[in-house]
């Protein structure tokens, strides 16, 4: 285990951040596709990017509350009714 820890410690924070984003996007995409959604990983990545809107951007902040309902509607449209 020490070998893996040393490799981890040698990775740059930027690389680890990019790896984390990639894992979140791909796992979210896989999970929603199992349920029948047709959202692509690129659409999920865009949604994740929008969810991380900085507090100083007032115009973007006004759009942020609209994103979640939009995504939920998109998923609801894609998932077959049970």
């Amino acid at each position: 285990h020490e070998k893996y820890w040393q490799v981890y410690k040698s990775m740059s924070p930027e690389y680890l951040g990019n790896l984390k984003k990639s894992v979140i996007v791909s796992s979210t995409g896989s999970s929603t596709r199992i349920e029948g959604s047709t959202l692509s990983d690129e659409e999920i990545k865009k949604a994740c990017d929008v969810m991380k809107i900085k507090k100083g951007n007032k115009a973007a902040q006004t759009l942020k509350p609209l994103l979640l309902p939009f995504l939920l509607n998109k998923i609801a449209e894609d998932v077959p009714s049970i």
Side-chain angles (χ1 to χ4, degrees):
H1 296 336
E2 181 64 30
K3 179 180 174 183
Y4 296 115
W5 180 247
Q6 288 182 358
V7 170
Y8 172 77
K9 289 189 329 186
S10 70
M11 294 178 184
S12 73
E14 181 181 350
Y15 176 80
L16 291 172
N18 289 336
L19 182 60
K20 180 181 174 183
K21 287 179 193 175
S22 176
V23 169
I24 289 170
V25 168
S26 63
S27 65
T28 301
S30 297
S31 178
T32 58
R33 283 189 287 276
I34 287 171
E35 300 298 326
S37 174
T38 59
L39 289 172
S40 69
D41 282 356
E42 187 58 34
E43 289 172 306
I44 292 168
K45 181 182 179 310
K46 287 178 185 177
C48 289
D49 290 344
V50 171
M51 295 300 282
K52 293 181 182 177
I53 294 170
K54 295 185 178 167
K55 291 180 182 177
N57 187 338
K58 299 238 184 231
Q61 280 293 319
T62 59
L63 295 175
K64 189 175 179 180
L66 302 174
L67 179 65
L68 184 58
F70 169 78
L71 289 175
L72 292 175
N73 285 334
K74 174 73 172 154
I75 291 169
E77 291 170 4
D78 289 346
V79 176
S81 58
I82 297 174

